Amino acid sequence: MPCHTARVTSMGDAISSTLLDWYDKHARALPWRSPPGEALPDDDAWPYRVWLSEVMLQQTTVAAVKPYFEKFTRIWPSVKDLATAPEHEVMAAWAGLGYYSRARNLVKCAREVARRGGFPKTEAELRELPGLGTYTAAAIAAIAFDSRAVVVDANVERVVSRLFNITDPLPASRKAIKEKAATVTPEDRSGDFAQAMMDLGSSICTSKSPRCLLCPLQVNCEGLRAGEPERLPVKPPKKAKPERKGTAYWIERDEHVWLVTREGTGMLGGMRALPDDGWSAREDGSGKPPIAADWQDAGTVRHTFTHAHLALTVKYGRTVSVPDGKGDWWPVSEIEAAGLPTLFAKAARTVLSRG
DNA sequence: CATACGTGGCT
DNA sequence: TAGCCAAGTAT
């Protein structure tokens, strides 16, 4: 199943050792990393930290992840601690980081790992865990367990596309990229090699203006030789995001606000939220409030998701009754601790700064 | 293979 | 500033 059988070539050897030498000097110090060349201590704390960081880092910058990683490891120092945590507490702790299916799967995965008595060590077994796809399974196998695995993320796609001047557009070029990545991935230290590729991609071989003069792989780079490495990898054109409208409702009673938990696995699924009029990325909301009240307009929040723009009108009103459906009265003074995703945190701020 | 799924920072 | 981009996964 894993297609990393390609033999390391002598050119591949030269590239991997050059990059590892560079990494030994320039590796970033990150909370989930051991120093370059040092294997992680053989206890369950490190696979946990590698797994947690890798999931947080999916489509997310290092800068955004750092404070969340610190918070999670402080509250839940081991995978066992996380496995016994109530799901809503984990969701609340994840609030603001985005892609909330990651948090839902994080809990499932932690419970599965705890049930098994620890993380599996092979790439294939890791791949079976919730939230671990091709990339993350390979990354954990290589980084946490020092197994030889070919790790391909967006950085590696960029570096490899340039290194081998792969000019076919993504995603069709993925197979060729993986094959080329396999030829430069060493048998030993493939975890450090993966992290070296990612550091190189984030600091030198950047998307817009690569710093080729500083690159340790400069002399090996066919894309540079061809003249326009910054054009690689070629990507498909983006689709326009639709503009959506919706309304959220701040229902207050006795210094408490009515919060609901969003159902399902769709947008913001599982997250605490203000009740709204049913807007989605596919259609505008109905504009119908959940209860009758003397609604006041608090303003409009603009927010952009991966695949839609949203203009969310925020209305507030008081009630003496309890709205239909499930929900909780949350103390207004502690709204910061409610674990609202960013959209609704903005909405709350809008109300509280005017209301 | 295409689409759904967040957010903040950088250009 | 509007758009692009970041250590992808699930369906």
Side-chain angles (χ1 to χ4, degrees), chain A residues 111-136:
Chain A
R111 291 175 183 171
E112 171 64 13
V113 168
R115 190 187 66 74
R116 306 172 54 122
F119 283 90
K121 300 190 179 193
T122 68
E123 189 178 350
E125 290 172 296
L126 287 162
R127 179 66 183 79
E128 298 306 310
L129 294 170
L132 303 203
T134 309
Y135 161 76
T136 308

Side-chain angles (χ1 to χ4, degrees), chain A residues 178-258:
Chain A
K178 179 107 182 196
E179 287 169 6
K180 290 297 189 184
T183 70
V184 295
T185 301
E187 291 297 326
D188 298 324
R189 296 188 67 188
S190 72
D192 278 353
F193 178 78
Q195 295 179 91
M197 290 286 269
M198 295 190 271
D199 278 16
L200 188 75
S202 69
S203 66
I204 306 273
C205 196
T206 54
S207 183
K208 296 282 180 56
S209 306
R211 300 166 172 82
C212 298
L213 292 175
L214 300 177
C215 182
L217 303 181
Q218 193 186 146
V219 299
N220 305 290
C221 188
E222 294 175 30
L224 177 58
R225 210 169 305 153
E228 295 183 307
E230 69 282 357
R231 290 178 9 89
L232 301 176
V234 179
K235 294 182 179 179
K238 305 253 192 297
K239 288 181 178 158
K241 296 183 204 302
E243 301 277 350
R244 298 297 179 219
K245 290 185 171 69
T247 310
Y249 301 90
W250 179 275
I251 306 170
E252 201 170 314
R253 173 181 151 173
D254 299 334
E255 311 296 317
H256 288 63
V257 59
W258 183 252

Side-chain angles (χ1 to χ4, degrees), chain A residues 36 57 252 278 352:
Chain A
L57 286 162
E252 201 170 314
L352 295 174

